[in-house]
Amino acid sequence: MRLFLSGLFTLLAITAAVAAPSIKAGQAATKLGRGVNVLGYDPLWTDAGKARFKPAYYKMLHDSGFQNIRVNLQAFSHMDQSGHLDAQWLAKLDDVVKQATGAGLKVILDEHDYRACAENAEDCRSKLIAFWNQIAPRYKDEPDSVLFEILNEPNKAITPDIWNGLLREALTVIRKTNPDRSVVIGPANSNNFHSLDKLSLPEDDRNIIVTVHYYDPFAFTHQGATWTNPSREKLIGVKWGSPAEHEQIVRDFSTIAAWSRDHDRPILLGEFGAYDKGDIASRAAWTASVARAAESNHFAWSYWQFEGSFGAYDIAADKWVAPIHQALMSSQQN
């Protein structure tokens, strides 16, 4: 196994030699480094007294080897009928940005209302533009370590054509007050890398980092999931880790790297993770293989997620899920 993995990482290194884009946003992407998704489903946003994520975790994340957090913002539910964001919610977001940047973390503000957008494109457009009309000027004086992600996983009603128009409209709003800030944008069809060729970006805006999400093979990463369509609730016991499966990840990331090189755009792997219904050894092996493939191709990454069913941290026990954390932080799999 060690001989195989040694050959795998050699192959990844060779791939990396031709993968890194040489563009302005590339430096920002490189600085993002390793990260984790946080706060998307935390009670913090509605009742700070019930918050699961503690302010001390920002420093802990930084000291544990992470460079970025991707803050999953479900802002639509905190808007009034006129699209104005709740003042208390905004104040909490201010605290998140201040505490995270103060701990030395890069912060990606990710508008995460993909479910609502999938159902109604026009309602999504109205709320998304209202969101960025408020958020962009609010954080225009933040350091460049704060990044904006226009919308997580556009899909269904947000078709590739609709998305290509909507992202431009939102980007125009952002650029009024943040002309040089790095903005994260991914393809439609839920940021699937197979849809990169359907993504159309303004050629004259080089402060864009392209994001993709990776959950392949889905039968492994989402085994036991009840929320997928079809449900994978009864699909249990799927293992992962054969040489062919490792090699598939290498090929997939080589495909992403080729697109990055051809379009001169840096890449953020904004989400990847395996549901905890899978066995921990397979999950750790998959996680390490994906993280190392991303790094070998000069992609920044943000793991899904800090806590919860895909989590790297056990809040109840107040400790890392050791195999997942080790898989994320190791430079190679032993």
Side-chain angles (χ1 to χ4, degrees), residues 66-105:
F66 292 97
Q67 287 88 48
N68 79 74
I69 56 169
R70 181 173 180 253
V71 184
N72 311 132
L73 302 173
Q74 323 237 11
F76 290 3
S77 62
H78 301 281
M79 286 180 173
D80 63 20
Q81 291 185 344
S82 299
H84 294 113
L85 288 162
D86 179 75
Q88 292 184 342
W89 184 87
L90 285 167
K92 291 174 184 176
L93 181 56
D94 290 344
D95 288 341
V96 169
V97 173
K98 181 178 180 180
Q99 291 165 356
T101 56
L105 293 167

Side-chain angles (χ1 to χ4, degrees), residues 316-329:
D318 202 19
K319 65 180 182 180
W320 292 105
V321 179
I324 301 300
H325 183 253
Q326 290 167 5
L328 290 168
M329 291 295 108

Side-chain angles (χ1 to χ4, degrees), residues 185-197:
I185 304 174
N189 297 323
S190 300
N191 294 156
N192 191 302
F193 77 94
H194 291 295
S195 293
L196 280 168
D197 285 339

